[in-house]
Amino acid sequence: MSENAINLKRQAAEILPEVWSMSLTKKLDKSGVGMKVVNKIYEKDTSHFGDTINIGEIGDVNVVDYSEDVDTGGVTYQRVDAKNQQLKLDQSKAFGVFISDITLRQSGQHDLQRKFEDRAKTAIDLAKDTYILSAFSEIPEENKLTDVSLTPENAYKCLVWLAKTLKNNNAIQQANDRVFKTNQAAAGEAMPYVIINPDVEAILLQSPDFIHSTNAGDRVLREGSIGTIAGLDVLVSTNLPTVENKVNIMAGINEAIAYVGNVSSIESIRDDKFFGNNVRGLYVYGMKVVLPKALAGITVDVSAANTIV
C-alpha cells in the first residue's frame, strides 16, 4: 500500500508502487546472463546501498602421515586460519519516468505498467550484466589466454582449454551444491558455464565439433543457453565488451562470483507542473569475486565471424 498515493487521494493507491516494485524485482531475479552464473545466497542478508557483507572462509587443513612411533608419531594439531572477504553494495542505478494522465487513460493502467517494467528491466540488465562480466579482469593470469584468432577449426579447442583450466583448479560444479541449487536460473545437470558474444557464437556454430556435440544429444540446460560442449554450458550475451574485433570469453562456476542486487525503492509522486505521475526506482547491487581460480578466460579475435565462405 502506497502511503504517498493515499495522502494524495489517488485512485487504487494500494496497488501502485508495491505491485510495480514486486513485479519488477521478480523479473530481474531471472533476467540477464549474469544472474545465471553468480552466487546469490547473500541477497537475504542485506538490501541497502552502502551495506557490506562479510564473507568468511576457513583455511586449508593439512593432512600428514600417521604413525604410532613414540618419538615422532601421533597427531599434531593445527591452528586453522580464516580470512574475510567483503562484498559491498557500492553500485546503484536509478530510473524515472513521467506518466501523463491522458496517456494513462488511453493506454490502460496494466498495459502501461508492463511496458515501463520491460524497459526498466532492459536498462538494468545491461548495467548489471556489464558489471558482472567485468569480473574477467580478476581472472588470474595463469587462467587466461590472449590474442587468439578464433576460427571454426579451433573454437572447440578453446572451450576444451577453458574446461581443462577449471578442472585443474578443482572448479567443479556440484548438482547438490547450495549455491547452484539456490540460483533460480540453474536447472538440470550441474556443469561450469562459458559466456560468449554473438560473434563467437557465429564461429562456434560453424565448428563441426559443436554440431556433432549438439546432435549427439547434449541438452539446453538454461534459458539463454545454445547448448553444451566440452563440458561447458554455453551462454550468449551481447554485453561482453568488444574492442577492434576482440572480445573476452569467460568461463567459471556459480561459486566464483558473489552478487547481491535488488530494487531498493519504487516511488510514485504527483508531478507539480503537469497532470501525471513521476515514477522512479532505485536498484542497488554489488559483486565480489570470491574464488578467482574458479574463473578462466580467453581474449579472442572474432574477425572470422564477418567472413562468409
Side-chain angles (χ1 to χ4, degrees):
M1 183 170 59
S2 169
E3 182 179 348
N4 183 57
I6 290 175
N7 292 336
L8 294 172
K9 297 182 179 179
R10 295 187 54 202
Q11 183 181 10
E14 290 80 0
I15 68 169
L16 292 181
E18 281 73 14
V19 170
W20 210 89
S21 177
M22 290 174 62
S23 179
L24 182 58
T25 300
K26 188 177 296 185
K27 287 185 177 183
L28 288 172
D29 278 345
K30 297 184 179 181
S31 64
V33 169
M35 291 295 95
K36 299 172 176 62
V37 302
V38 293
N39 170 6
K40 299 187 293 179
I41 63 174
Y42 302 108
E43 284 193 328
K44 65 181 184 299
D45 297 328
T46 186
S47 61
H48 304 292
F49 181 76
D51 283 354
T52 298
I53 299 173
N54 291 296
I55 303 172
E57 181 181 352
I58 301 297
D60 295 330
V61 175
N62 298 326
V63 177
V64 298
D65 293 333
Y66 173 78
S67 76
E68 294 188 350
D69 184 277
V70 175
D71 297 320
T72 61
V75 177
T76 299
Y77 293 93
Q78 169 193 357
R79 289 185 176 270
V80 180
D81 292 329
K83 64 179 181 179
N84 180 58
Q85 300 189 69
Q86 292 187 330
L87 191 164
K88 297 182 179 180
L89 269 76
D90 54 2
Q91 306 292 313
S92 61
K93 291 289 185 290
F95 61 88
V97 293
F98 171 73
I99 305 176
S100 165
D101 284 352
I102 297 175
T103 302
L104 186 64
R105 292 188 181 113
Q106 290 177 342
S107 64
Q109 165 67 23
H110 296 293
D111 185 58
L112 190 62
Q113 172 183 314
R114 179 185 60 79
K115 290 178 179 178
F116 280 124
E117 284 181 355
D118 289 342
R119 298 313 301 164
K121 171 186 146 335
T122 299
I124 293 175
D125 277 351
L126 174 61
K128 68 184 183 183
D129 262 20
T130 301
Y131 181 61
I132 290 170
L133 296 176
S134 70
F136 186 91
S137 64
E138 299 188 46
I139 299 175
E141 289 302 316
E142 60 270 23
N143 286 15
K144 284 183 181 179
L145 288 179
T146 58
D147 298 327
V148 175
S149 295
L150 195 68
T151 67
E153 290 70 34
N154 69 9
Y156 176 74
K157 293 180 180 179
C158 288
L159 296 189
V160 169
W161 185 89
L162 290 169
K164 180 251 326 179
T165 301
L166 292 176
K167 289 177 181 177
N168 281 342
N169 286 285
N170 295 316
I172 300 172
Q173 198 96 282
Q174 301 292 336
N176 60 351
D177 180 78
R178 185 165 65 107
V179 172
F180 184 78
K181 291 175 69 175
T182 55
N183 187 322
Q184 296 184 40
E189 298 178 17
M191 62 176 58
Y193 64 83
V194 60
I195 303 175
I196 63 176
N197 83 340
D199 287 328
V200 176
E201 178 188 18
I203 297 173
L204 184 60
L205 291 176
Q206 299 176 59
S207 168
D209 298 290
F210 182 81
I211 296 171
H212 172 74
S213 176
T214 302
N215 291 340
D218 280 350
R219 294 177 292 127
V220 174
L221 297 182
R222 316 187 198 187
E223 182 182 354
S225 173
I226 64 170
T228 64
I229 188 170
L232 299 172
D233 184 13
V234 185
L235 299 165
V236 182
S237 172
T238 58
N239 297 330
L240 287 161
T242 303
V243 179
E244 297 180 351
N245 283 329
K246 291 186 178 181
V247 65
N248 297 331
I249 299 176
M250 185 169 78
I253 61 175
N254 287 87
E255 288 184 85
I257 304 172
Y259 179 88
V260 173
N262 59 72
V263 177
S264 179
S265 179
I266 294 286
E267 297 177 348
S268 181
I269 303 171
R270 194 67 180 167
D271 194 87
D272 61 355
K273 184 176 181 180
F274 299 99
F275 291 101
N277 302 313
N278 293 312
V279 178
R280 62 186 183 184
L282 176 64
Y283 184 78
V284 299
Y285 57 106
M287 173 188 73
K288 179 68 177 179
V289 178
V290 293
L291 296 175
K293 290 185 177 180
L295 295 174
I298 304 178
T299 301
V300 297
D301 186 296
V302 290
S303 300
N306 299 320
T307 303
I308 300 177
V309 180

